[in-house]
Amino acid sequence: MQNRPSLRLHIPEPVARPGDAPAFDRSLIPEPGDTRRPETTSAEADMRDLPFGLVRVLDDSGEASGPWNPKLPTETLLAGLRAMLLTRAFDERLFRAHRQGKTSFYMKSTGEEAIGAAQSLFLDRDDMCFPTYRVLSWLMARNYPLIDLCNQIFSNEKDPLKGRQLPILYSARDYGFYSLSGNVGSRFGHAVGWAMASAFKGGQSIALAYIGEGTTAEGDFHEALTFASVYRAPVILCVTNNQWAISSFSGIAGADETTFAAKALAYGLPGLRVDGNDFLAVWAATEWAAERARMNLGATLIELYTYRASGHSTSDDPTKYRPADEAEAWPLGDPVERLKTHMIGLGLWDEDRHAALQAELDAEVRAAVKEAEAVGTLGKSKPSVKEMFEGVFKDPDWRVVEQRRELGI
Ligand SMILES: Cc1ncc(C[n+]2csc(CCOP(=O)(O)OP(=O)(O)O)c2C)c(N)n1
């Protein structure tokens, strides 16, 4: 007994804190071409190495290579670049609108724009995405009206959701964008259930869901994987590993022990680890997983390896918990710059056209913000109170009827 060591807990700590030099482990980043692309019909047991590789297409100089190269046509590359640039322009302007008191809350997706853009452009209109608050680029890629986003962000009379959601928790069924659930883990279960229903009805549509790496520590993640695996649900389950869950680093959710893609192994699902800052790699991995889902081969877990370049939200100050220059040190760069460099390298794009597109998109955002401001910003205009009673209950409860009567509306 006496020779036994005292028991102790292991508390994971990030390698770098404010004031330290940023440090990322490059051993987790193989070169494009190093990670094989198995046939989509392969058995899960024959691809258990994939969760420890990294699907990459673009190298550090912006050249595309390797077995995952989706060889996209020019118009798709352009559509992707446009969606990402529009997301960034919108994020910058609306973040500032929060600082000016025009909205109560905002969240940016800086550094993660390739994910929603590629997946939105790739999937069919009848498929359904169960989003997080950091995939605005999904809506941008499908040309969701900017004015509707702005009206919701300003919580004004024309808010399309009538004040029932937080400013950036959008809902756009016609754009394949399911109502954004503020309870972070729940979307995985919703997506699996939706996919199971699609298969149960003998349909053709598949689902895609996002969860942050921090949220994989919640039970919802594991319940969803169990159902997805057992019933071979046609769903693509994406873990966006952006290194931070507000101020908790990814190690708190288990990143030091294994990869998030490797969580798939315990459920007998294929797991892909993918460079989330590479538009082409995200596209290729999604294509692979979608093909399996459509062939009734079931779900795939995709870890999108990326970095949250901005704060978590307008309520967060990341300089309190991580080095200020950590985003610049992210070894997989910036998704917009990488696609731009790739297109310039192919002779499809140049700096002048890039600057002109940025200016055009910024003007579009400015115009939408102006139009929404004319309706009203936070507190200056509100959805009508009577909206509160409408569209919720098919047969309103007597208390609701009574409350409405008391208000005289
Ligand atoms: C069930 C639940 N618990 C806690 C929260 C508060 N919350 C909102 S975002 C967040 C962090 C999520 O981190 P992660 O899953 O890594 O996603 P990221 O924001 O980094 O994309 C938390 C704890 C919530 N919205 N829902």
Side-chain angles (χ1 to χ4, degrees), residues 77 79-92 106-121 132-142 210 240 242 275-280 282-283 304-310 330 332-339 358:
L77 297 176
L81 188 67
R82 186 181 192 284
M84 287 200 266
L85 280 174
L86 182 56
T87 306
R88 199 160 282 188
F90 192 87
D91 272 354
E92 289 306 322
Y106 195 75
M107 295 174 97
K108 292 162 94 174
S109 43
T110 317
E112 302 176 38
E113 297 94 337
I115 296 169
Q119 298 191 311
S120 175
L121 289 170
T132 62
Y133 36 68
R134 239 182 277 287
V135 285
L136 175 61
S137 57
W138 177 286
L139 290 173
M140 295 305 193
R142 295 189 177 198
Y210 298 101
T240 306
N242 64 9
D275 176 355
N277 289 15
D278 176 348
F279 179 84
L280 301 179
V282 176
W283 182 288
L304 297 156
Y305 194 59
T306 183
Y307 185 83
R308 195 199 73 212
S310 294
W330 178 243
L332 292 166
D334 175 83
V336 177
E337 287 303 311
R338 285 178 68 196
L339 185 58
Q358 266 177 321

Side-chain angles (χ1 to χ4, degrees), residues 37-43 47 287-292 295 297:
R37 183 187 189 280
E39 290 300 317
T40 44
T41 48
S42 302
M47 41 189 174
E287 190 171 27
W288 187 89
E291 210 171 297
R292 284 183 68 86
M295 284 190 295
L297 294 172

Side-chain angles (χ1 to χ4, degrees), residues 117-375:
Q119 298 191 311
S120 175
L121 289 170
F122 172 72
L123 284 176
D124 288 353
R125 284 283 164 160
D126 294 334
D127 297 329
M128 186 58 79
C129 142
F130 290 74
T132 62
Y133 36 68
R134 239 182 277 287
V135 285
L136 175 61
S137 57
W138 177 286
L139 290 173
M140 295 305 193
R142 295 189 177 198
N143 297 314
Y144 184 81
L146 300 185
I147 180 65
D148 289 342
L149 297 175
C150 294
N151 283 331
Q152 184 176 341
I153 291 164
F154 293 158
S155 308
N156 67 24
E157 192 188 328
K158 292 200 175 160
D159 168 1
L161 301 186
K162 304 167 182 182
R164 288 179 187 150
Q165 284 268 55
L166 270 170
I168 45 82
L169 301 191
Y170 312 115
S171 176
R173 183 202 289 213
D174 294 344
Y175 295 79
F177 193 93
Y178 204 85
S179 288
L180 216 156
S181 167
N183 298 325
V184 287
S186 60
R187 315 166 192 125
F188 250 40
H190 298 163
V192 173
W194 193 96
M196 285 171 66
S198 178
F200 182 75
K201 289 187 284 195
Q204 306 256 309
S205 307
I206 64 172
L208 177 144
Y210 298 101
I211 201 167
E213 89 290 340
T215 309
T216 63
E218 289 199 346
D220 306 45
F221 172 71
H222 303 278
E223 289 159 18
L225 286 181
T226 301
F227 276 81
S229 161
V230 169
Y231 297 100
R232 292 193 199 146
V235 61
I236 304 171
L237 297 166
C238 303
V239 176
T240 306
N241 176 8
N242 64 9
Q243 313 303 315
W244 291 95
I246 314 184
S247 56
S248 295
F249 90 111
S250 56
I252 295 289
D256 293 348
E257 274 60 45
T258 187
T259 71
F260 290 98
K263 308 274 173 181
L265 298 173
Y267 299 91
L269 293 173
L272 296 179
R273 198 166 156 270
V274 178
D275 176 355
N277 289 15
D278 176 348
F279 179 84
L280 301 179
V282 176
W283 182 288
T286 311
E287 190 171 27
W288 187 89
E291 210 171 297
R292 284 183 68 86
R294 294 197 202 282
M295 284 190 295
N296 284 309
L297 294 172
T300 301
L301 184 70
I302 297 181
E303 173 183 348
L304 297 156
Y305 194 59
T306 183
Y307 185 83
R308 195 199 73 212
S310 294
H312 173 75
S313 71
T314 44
S315 314
D316 179 40
D317 176 3
T319 62
K320 295 273 191 288
Y321 53 80
R322 66 185 192 186
D325 53 348
E326 206 178 61
E328 287 98 80
W330 178 243
L332 292 166
D334 175 83
V336 177
E337 287 303 311
R338 285 178 68 196
L339 185 58
K340 174 188 161 197
T341 307
H342 173 62
M343 291 170 66
I344 292 176
L346 289 176
L348 303 171
W349 201 239
D350 55 52
E351 293 290 352
D352 288 347
R353 274 187 277 183
H354 194 79
L357 179 60
Q358 266 177 321
E360 178 195 319
L361 297 175
D362 201 41
E364 262 183 52
V365 172
R366 248 193 345 261
V369 168
K370 218 165 156 205
E371 193 182 334
E373 279 174 355
V375 180

Side-chain angles (χ1 to χ4, degrees), residues 24-30 52-54 255 258-259 273 305 332:
F24 292 110
D25 185 357
R26 278 214 75 112
S27 69
L28 292 167
I29 306 177
F52 304 100
L54 188 70
T258 187
T259 71
R273 198 166 156 270
Y305 194 59
L332 292 166

Side-chain angles (χ1 to χ4, degrees), residues 30-35 54-60 63-67 278:
E31 293 301 316
D34 287 354
T35 301
L54 188 70
V55 173
R56 290 185 70 187
V57 176
L58 293 176
D59 65 15
D60 293 346
E63 241 176 87
S65 64
D278 176 348

